Amino acid sequence: MDFNHPDLQKIDNLIKQSKRILIIPHKSPDGDTIGASLAMYQVLRGMDKDVDVICTDPAPEEFTFLPNIEFLQVGEPTLDYDAYFILDAGAIYLTGFHESHPKLFDKSLEVVNIDHHQSNDYYGKYNIVEKETASATIVIYKMFMELGYPIDRYTATCLLTGIYTDTGSFMHSNTSSEVFRVASRLMAKGANFRSISKEIFNTTKISTMRLWGRVMRKINKTPEGIAMSVVKQKDFDDTGADYSEMTGVVDYINSVPGAQYSVILTEKGGKVKGSLRTLKEEVDVAKIASDFGGGGHTKAAGFTIPGKLQKEVRWKVVE
Ligand SMILES: [Mn+2]
């Protein structure tokens, strides 16, 4: 296994010398950032560190089964820790703390950035960024292995959760041989695969089903082959669903035959969020998202712009 990162030894030293460590998942946390954070929590606790995990938003309900989930706090960080780990955040704004705590990103603090997004610009004082790796939890798995840190069954469950969610249960194009190899090793270490598949993939709340129903009812395919749908604030209000329940629906929209790529535009608090997916080899949705100031992976990306959605009716003259 290749894991050559110039900062690796420094990170090992930093961990060993630190007493108080803060872990920061990205905002609107998903299975990968949560799995990465809770796995890191477990390993650092095992090394007798005082560890906090602080996120701008709570974990979605389906992750309640994860070990250590009770230690994920919603709030604001303080800047008196010995070390900071920012996990799975492809850009500083995704932490939600770039405006309130710019010091985290001026390289004056002991900040470690561990990530796998194309958009990552190495904002940490120390960085382990693997842009071709399927999940942040795989990067962390490889780091633990390389440094000889122990992976118990709780850590393994958290790490496998990130692989599971970021590969769309082993269905997205990032599902490499490495994904299966690491997943298999985590299973061997006791990862609770049954809970992951049951709690995350085979449990759907009624509010989620109603929200997805609305998304699907509004699907359109443009003449350019873009499969598109929209979600307005009213859809959340009427169904009682929250934004995190959008996770996964864009993949459904993407399964329209012949689609070049899919987009869902979501209204959320005065902003419009775009989620893009493609199954086409030649389409790079990260590039499209970057035209709107966003980013992500070549097959899955997103952006956020201020504004709201307005329906535009187009007329055209036909013979
Ligand atoms: Mn990720």
Side-chain angles (χ1 to χ4, degrees):
M1 200 164 54
D2 246 14
F3 198 74
N4 300 314
H5 292 277
D7 291 344
L8 184 66
Q9 206 46 58
K10 289 180 210 155
I11 294 167
D12 188 29
N13 294 340
L14 175 66
I15 290 172
K16 285 177 175 152
Q17 288 160 13
S18 297
K19 179 65 185 152
R20 295 186 64 235
I21 298 176
L22 177 63
I23 297 168
I24 302 177
H26 65 67
K27 64 181 181 181
S28 304
D30 61 10
D32 192 29
T33 198
I34 294 171
S37 299
L38 302 183
M40 193 94 209
Y41 179 92
Q42 178 75 0
V43 167
L44 294 175
R45 287 290 298 138
M47 297 165 89
D48 220 22
K49 310 293 177 186
D50 294 335
V51 190
D52 288 316
V53 185
I54 298 181
C55 187
T56 54
D57 303 298
E61 237 173 79
E62 64 264 34
F63 298 108
T64 309
F65 77 99
L66 276 178
N68 298 329
I69 190 76
E70 64 273 28
F71 299 111
L72 193 152
Q73 313 167 46
V74 176
E76 291 279 323
T78 53
L79 300 184
D80 53 357
Y81 289 86
D82 302 322
Y84 305 80
F85 284 81
I86 300 177
L87 307 180
D88 193 41
I92 63 170
Y93 79 90
L94 291 171
T95 61
F97 299 133
H98 65 301
E99 280 166 348
S100 55
H101 296 84
K103 247 185 106 55
L104 280 170
F105 307 104
D106 67 8
K107 309 209 177 188
S108 62
L109 298 170
E110 303 298 300
V111 173
V112 183
N113 157 28
I114 301 179
D115 186 37
H116 69 125
H117 291 92
Q118 284 294 335
S119 55
N120 199 297
D121 67 357
Y122 302 85
Y123 52 77
K125 183 166 175 184
Y126 312 101
N127 301 279
I128 295 189
V129 178
E130 293 197 343
K131 299 192 174 186
E132 305 303 323
T133 296
S135 71
T137 54
I138 293 181
V139 181
I140 287 172
Y141 167 82
K142 292 194 283 187
M143 182 178 92
F144 289 167
M145 292 302 286
E146 193 69 26
L147 295 176
Y149 294 0
I151 297 176
D152 64 14
R153 64 182 205 274
Y154 303 114
T155 310
T157 296
C158 294
L159 293 175
L160 186 59
T161 295
I163 298 177
Y164 227 95
T165 53
D166 263 24
T167 62
S169 33
F170 304 100
M171 287 195 291
H172 294 162
S173 63
N174 60 358
T175 309
S176 58
S177 62
E178 179 177 73
V179 163
F180 287 113
R181 196 165 58 241
V182 175
S184 141
R185 288 179 187 168
L186 291 171
M187 290 280 291
K189 288 177 184 296
N192 191 347
F193 162 80
R194 275 184 52 78
S195 287
I196 297 171
S197 63
K198 176 170 159 286
E199 301 291 338
I200 303 174
F201 290 94
N202 294 324
T203 305
T204 311
K205 292 192 289 189
I206 286 182
S207 56
T208 307
M209 290 190 189
R210 290 193 172 135
L211 180 70
W212 286 32
R214 287 179 176 232
V215 172
M216 290 180 196
R217 198 166 65 204
K218 290 187 272 187
I219 296 177
N220 251 306
K221 196 167 145 200
T222 71
E224 300 81 24
I226 305 164
M228 197 165 173
S229 190
V230 295
V231 184
K232 305 201 41 155
Q233 187 60 51
K234 189 173 184 317
D235 295 315
F236 290 113
D237 298 343
D238 289 352
T239 59
D242 66 40
Y243 181 73
S244 71
E245 292 171 61
M246 288 293 291
T247 304
V249 68
V250 67
D251 294 309
Y252 263 95
I253 305 303
N254 204 24
S255 60
V256 171
Q260 289 297 310
Y261 64 92
S262 62
V263 188
I264 295 184
L265 297 174
T266 308
E267 241 178 34
K268 192 197 171 197
K271 290 176 182 160
V272 175
K273 246 183 93 83
S275 295
L276 297 95
R277 295 288 185 279
T278 186
L279 296 168
K280 295 269 185 208
E281 205 52 59
E282 66 278 11
V283 178
D284 178 353
V285 289
K287 217 176 259 173
I288 300 166
S290 77
D291 290 343
F292 298 95
H297 305 288
T298 55
K299 304 297 156 207
F303 61 83
T304 304
I305 48 177
K308 54 183 191 166
L309 293 168
Q310 198 168 55
K311 190 165 186 177
E312 187 184 80
V313 181
R314 274 193 273 185
W315 291 89
K316 63 178 179 180
V317 180
V318 292
E319 283 183 35

